Amino acid sequence: MTGEAHLDPTRKHDFAFLFDVKDGNPNGDPDAGGMPRTDPETMQGLVTDVAIKRKIRNMVAMLGEGQEGYDIYVEAGVSLNSQHERAYTSLGIAKTKEKNKDASIQAQARDWMCKTFYDVRMFGAVMTTGSQHAGRVQGPVQFTFSRSIDPVIPQEHGITRVTRTKEEDTKETEMGGKHAVPYGLYLGYGHFSAPLARRTGVSADDLGMLWRSMELMFEHDRASTRGEMALRSLYVFSHHDQFGAAPAHVLFDLISVLRQVDGPARSFKDYTVKLDEGAVPDKVTLTQLIG
C-alpha cells in the first residue's frame, strides 16, 4: 500500500530496512582492529545506529547542498563549538568567555540550530559545549543497531603494497590487511516521534529527505570494503495519529526473512522476505519504498 502518509510529520512512523554486504566490512570496530562488528554469542553481524546516521548525514549534505535548513551539525573537520557560535553570530548575541547561562538566549540559539541543521532537527544533539552553547535537543528520529539474519564470519585478508612510505625505507613491499565478511543480510529498525518532531520543526520535506537519503545512502558511500552494499527493502508503518495505533514490535513482527539454501548464504536471492500485509492494523498505513 502506498501513498503520502509516510511524509506526514504529524503522525508516528515506525520503519524497518534490510541491507546486505558482500565481501565487505559494513561497520568496523576500532576496539577490535577494524574487524566487522559481531555479537560474540551468536556471531550475528552488527551495524551501529551511529554508522547509519553518518551515511544519512552524508547524503543530506549532497542532496540538500545550497538549500536553507539542510546544513549538517556533526560534520568531519568542523568543531561543534564553531557551529554553536554561528547561531550566536546570526542572532546578533554578543560572545562571552564564560558559559552563557541565560535560558532565553539558549532557547533562541537552540531554535536557530534546529532550523539550520537537518541532523539537529531530526536526530537531536547535546549542544552544551563551549561558552556559546545551545542546550539540548531530543530528536524525533531514532535508529536501532542493525543485526544480520544469520551469523557472519569476519575474515582478514592480507594485502601487499609495493610503494615505500619513506625514501629511506629499504623494504620492497609492505604488508597490510583488510577485514570483510563473505556475505551478510542485515535488518534494522527506526522510529519517528510526531510530538518530538513538532518541537524541532520537522516538515514533510524533511521526512522526504530522510527516506530519499536512506534509499541512496549506500550508493554514494562506496569504498574498497563497501563496494557491494545495497538497500534491499524499506518499509514505513505510518500510524493515523501522533502517538501510534499499535506497538512497533507488533508491526515489525509482520516481517519475516527466511534463508532458502542449505549452505551458507552468498546473495540476497538466497533469502525470501515476506510481509503479512493482511495483518497490518486498520489505523496503520504501510508504505513500501524499496523492495
Side-chain angles (χ1 to χ4, degrees):
M1 187 178 196
T2 60
E4 299 300 314
H6 64 293
L7 299 176
D8 188 349
T10 67
R11 301 186 183 197
K12 182 180 187 292
H13 304 281
D14 298 298
F15 52 98
F17 54 102
L18 279 162
F19 62 91
D20 62 357
V21 58
K22 183 177 181 180
D23 296 326
N25 186 352
N27 186 203
D29 184 353
D31 290 331
M35 288 286 284
R37 297 178 189 271
T38 56
D39 180 328
E41 294 184 325
T42 66
M43 289 308 295
Q44 289 171 287
L46 298 173
V47 173
T48 67
D49 59 314
V50 175
I52 295 297
K53 288 192 287 188
R54 179 71 269 164
K55 298 180 195 307
I56 292 173
R57 284 184 170 101
N58 291 343
M59 274 312 311
V60 170
M62 294 182 191
L63 294 170
E65 185 176 7
Q67 298 182 42
E68 185 177 350
Y70 290 94
D71 289 6
I72 296 300
Y73 172 64
V74 181
E75 188 175 5
V78 180
S79 71
L80 299 182
N81 287 354
S82 66
Q83 303 283 46
H84 306 162
E85 290 174 5
R86 285 180 57 188
Y88 279 70
T89 299
S90 179
L91 294 169
I93 301 172
K95 297 180 181 180
T96 59
K97 293 183 179 180
E98 300 296 326
K99 187 177 286 289
N100 196 312
K101 297 181 180 180
D102 189 319
S104 64
I105 289 179
Q106 291 178 24
Q108 292 179 58
R110 184 172 60 249
D111 291 345
W112 188 93
M113 296 292 287
C114 286
K115 183 179 179 180
T116 303
F117 294 102
Y118 179 85
D119 52 341
V120 173
R121 197 160 62 247
M122 296 294 275
F123 302 146
V126 178
M127 304 175 290
T128 56
T129 58
S131 58
Q132 280 74 46
H133 68 88
R136 301 170 184 238
V137 173
Q138 185 177 359
V141 177
Q142 299 299 331
F143 286 86
T144 67
F145 277 31
S146 299
R147 178 178 288 266
S148 68
I149 303 301
D150 290 318
V152 297
I153 303 177
Q155 300 175 343
E156 183 173 8
H157 303 279
I159 59 173
T160 59
R161 186 176 64 179
V162 297
T163 54
R164 292 176 293 176
T165 303
K166 295 180 290 185
E167 194 65 37
E168 58 268 27
D169 288 345
T170 58
K171 292 182 179 180
E172 291 294 330
T173 61
E174 293 184 3
M175 300 297 296
K178 287 188 176 182
H179 304 294
V181 297
Y183 182 79
L185 178 62
Y186 293 73
L187 176 62
Y189 303 116
H191 309 277
F192 176 86
S193 168
L196 293 178
R198 185 172 59 251
R199 296 179 188 176
T200 63
V202 174
S203 67
D205 288 340
D206 290 334
L207 272 175
M209 178 66 80
L210 174 66
W211 309 134
R212 183 59 175 159
S213 296
M214 290 187 68
E215 291 172 0
L216 295 173
M217 63 183 174
F218 300 120
E219 299 302 316
H220 296 270
D221 188 53
R222 304 295 184 191
S224 60
T225 55
R226 297 191 302 277
E228 294 187 74
M229 289 188 70
L231 184 70
R232 296 295 184 171
S233 301
L234 176 56
Y235 307 99
V236 183
F237 297 93
S238 302
H239 302 254
H240 283 203
D241 62 28
Q242 63 177 326
F243 296 110
H249 70 271
V250 172
L251 302 176
F252 294 152
D253 284 347
L254 301 179
I255 302 169
S256 59
V257 185
L258 303 173
R259 182 156 53 91
Q260 299 300 308
V261 294
D262 294 331
R266 286 297 181 267
S267 76
F268 185 62
K269 294 179 181 179
D270 292 337
Y271 291 90
T272 297
V273 181
K274 295 183 179 180
L275 176 63
D276 189 357
E277 296 188 47
V280 176
D282 291 338
K283 292 185 178 181
V284 176
T285 300
L286 168 65
T287 304
Q288 188 168 340
L289 295 174
I290 298 288

